[in-house]
Structure formats: C-alpha cells, structure tokens
Amino acid sequence: MKIQLVLFSLLFSSDLLIEASLFSPSFSDLRNRLEPRLRRKKKPKVQEEVPADQDGFQKYFHEPGGGALSNHYDSRYEHGVLSYEEKQDTQVHMMRAYLDFFRKNNIETWLAHGTLLGWWWNGRMLPWDWDIDTQISGPSLMYIGEHFNGSIYDYSSVDSDPDLSPVVERQYLLDVNPAIVERDRGNGNNVIDARWIDLRNGLYIDVTGLSETDPGGSPGVWACKNYHHYKTTDLYPMRESMYEGVIAKVPYAYDRILAEEYEEKALVMTEFEGHKWHPESKEWIKKTAAEIKQERLDRQAARRQKQEEKAQRKKEKEEKERVEQEAKAKGEERSEEKKEEAEVKEGPSEGEDHGEEEPPKEPSKAKRNPEPDPEPEPFWDDVPGLEKETSGLAHLRHRRLPDAM
C-alpha cells in the first residue's frame, strides 16, 4: 500500500513539472515584460512652490541651482555652465546690447556693484565676476514695465563695434518682474526688478530700481529692495563714460559708493580670484596653472619658514631662561660662600677665645643728695640794649640777635 502511494505521488509531481515547463514563461519572456518598466524615466523633480509674500507675489525669477555658478543663469534658457571664454564673450556683447537698447530708447541706467568696480579699474568687466548689475530709477522702472516688458532685442555687433569680424548677432529678452509695484523687500524673493537675458544660454543682467521709500523720514535717500541706500548727491549728476567700448553712465560719487560697499582695499588690491592686475596693459589677466602652483609652493615655504622662526624664538627664549636660572643659582651660591668666609674671618669673640666670661660691671649708684648745677650767668649782661625779661621771648630774641646784628 505504501509503495503504491509513493508511486502515485511521483507520477503526480512529474505531471506538474511537465505542465510548468509547458505553460510557465521563460526568463527571456519575463525580462521582455519588465523591460519597459525598467526603462521608464524617473519623473522630473517638481520645483517647490515658494510661499507668496504679504502682497501675494510669488517668486518670479528662477535659477536652476545645484551650484554657485548655476545660480547665474535663468532656468528657462539655461543649457549648462559655460566655459571661462564663453562666459566672457557672452557678457561683453550682452552688456553692449543692454546699453545700446537703453540709450536708443532714452532710458537712464547706470553701472552698479561689481560692474561699477570693473569700470573703475579699466572700463571693463571683472573677468572672474559672473554677476552684471545695473540700476535704474523707480519712475524709469515703471516705464519699461509698461512699455517694454517682454521685448526681444535683435543685436548686431556692427552697432557698437563695426571693426569686429565676424559680426556677432544675438537676441536678448527684457523681462520685468510684476512685483515692481511693491518697493519693499517683502520676503526677499523678488529683490530683482528686471533681467536682460541672453536667449542662447540664460546668462543675464540684474536690473534693480531705486526709489525714495521714506521721503518723509529720510528725504533724498534712494534704496533698492536689497537694502542698498544712496543719497541723491551721490548719484546725481550722472557721469558719462565708456564701458566695454560703448557709452555708459556711472554715479557722481562712484569712489565713495565703492569704498562703502567694498572697502578701500578693493580699489588697490592687485591680485584676486586667480587673476593679477597688469598695469602696463591695464587689464586683469588670469594666472596660469604653473603660476598658481608656484604661488601655492611659495605660500607653503613661507608658512614653514614662519613656523621655523617661531620655533627658533621659542628655543632662544627657553635657553635665555635657563641661563638666567643658572646665573641666579650661582649667584645665590656665591653669596652663601661669601657669608661663610666673612664669618670665618671675623672669628669668635675675645671671651670665647680664653673660655672666660666677662666680669660683671658694678651697677652705678645714684647720688642721694646731688649738688645742683651752678646757675648760668645771665646772657643779657653781655648783650647791650637787651632788657631783662623773664619769659622765653627773651631767649628767642637772643637767638635771633646775632642774625640781626
């Protein structure tokens, strides 16, 4: 009976194996079914919505983020970080186009912040600076918001540099933030009032408006949303100059503005951000890899020398203290020796030499009836013109008489 049950179970299991091999999908079939799921792209990250400020304005301009350099691109037109040379070429033509557009439309704008600092050095942009900053008055800001918002400007390098070959032709967007009507900082998400954007790569110029936000309490003080304040006399009358080969305006008291914002060292420092100022050519030139390496080696050598000098000074100080301690100890020993020698030279007293004691002296006996001292003769007999007086005044006069005589 047991043998029959075993045989039956074996037959049943073999039928199941055959059925599984006939109807179960193979590994390749299973992979083909799952492969579309494996290849499915991940959903793009949804940008977190920034809460609106008290006036209901959402953050208008967005940057891709992910790095310090990425924050200098508008996320709508960014296609990756540009190279050092591409960035410089983009900024030069973008700035020329911006100044041309505002001049042609008779709208006043001027250089600000790091862009103004670059003008101070040589009338050009600082090659390491990724920010380009300009400013505009509050009324002019409202004007471009009403008449030029969303304008696309067709730029040709012939307008500003006819000798440039090949000719550069590009397009730029003037995008004005709808939150310009609010002149307070709010939650800080809309401190930039407008942007001049290169449509090829997303690099931009920040445009901020200045307004008298408190004419009653602080008349004649202009401020932007980012807490930069200027007096009217610091801004006007504007000075006309050249920047990147085109006409540009700078504030009247540009030196005071730069010194307050960057301190005076920014106006004299000749090495910064891997660049060195060359006065003969009046330009900032990027250091080579060999120069940077040599400077690093020089700094390390200077640091080692400083440490060695510090160790040497410490060693000399310790040696000096040791010598002083030894001299002090020797001095104490010599004083002890001299003291002992002095005691030896003096020797024992006379009584100690003979081993005899000094005989005691007889006490002096006081006289029972001492005879009184003889009375001194009166001194006034010898001094002519001195009357006899019984008070001490005569004595004093007597003492003074020789001086008077």
Side-chain angles (χ1 to χ4, degrees), residues 91 95 111-135 228 230 243 257-258 261-262 266-267 272 284:
Q91 287 182 327
M95 193 66 195
L111 310 181
H113 308 310
T115 309
L116 180 62
L117 182 61
W119 167 85
W120 187 90
W121 278 96
N122 59 354
R124 301 177 63 184
M125 276 175 287
L126 299 172
W128 62 82
D129 196 1
W130 286 79
D131 289 325
I132 303 180
D133 295 289
T134 61
Q135 290 174 337
H228 292 285
Y230 309 89
Y243 187 73
I257 291 173
L258 289 173
E261 185 171 357
Y262 296 103
L267 307 179
F272 194 74
W284 291 92

Side-chain angles (χ1 to χ4, degrees), residues 88-90 92-94 96-97 100 124 155-170 172 244-246:
Q88 285 186 305
D89 177 76
T90 297
V92 168
H93 291 287
M94 181 165 57
R96 288 178 176 177
D100 285 343
R124 301 177 63 184
Y155 164 79
S156 175
S157 61
V158 176
D159 297 336
S160 57
D161 190 359
D163 299 329
L164 183 65
S165 180
V167 176
V168 176
E169 293 182 347
R170 292 169 186 173
Y172 300 95
E244 290 295 351
V246 295

Side-chain angles (χ1 to χ4, degrees), residues 298-329:
D298 292 342
R299 286 195 298 270
Q300 292 174 354
R303 196 180 300 114
R304 283 195 301 269
Q305 183 178 357
K306 189 175 181 180
Q307 292 173 351
E308 291 173 359
E309 291 175 354
K310 184 178 179 181
Q312 182 64 24
R313 287 195 299 269
K314 184 179 179 182
K315 185 178 179 181
E316 291 174 356
K317 183 180 178 181
E318 292 175 351
E319 181 65 20
K320 184 179 179 181
E321 291 176 353
R322 185 186 65 80
V323 171
E324 289 177 353
Q325 289 177 357
E326 290 180 355
K328 185 178 179 181

Side-chain angles (χ1 to χ4, degrees), residues 33-47:
R33 291 180 184 179
L34 294 177
E35 192 169 10
R37 297 183 182 178
L38 295 174
R39 293 180 180 178
R40 187 178 298 166
K41 293 182 179 180
K42 294 182 180 180
K43 293 182 179 180
K45 292 183 179 180
V46 179
Q47 192 170 12

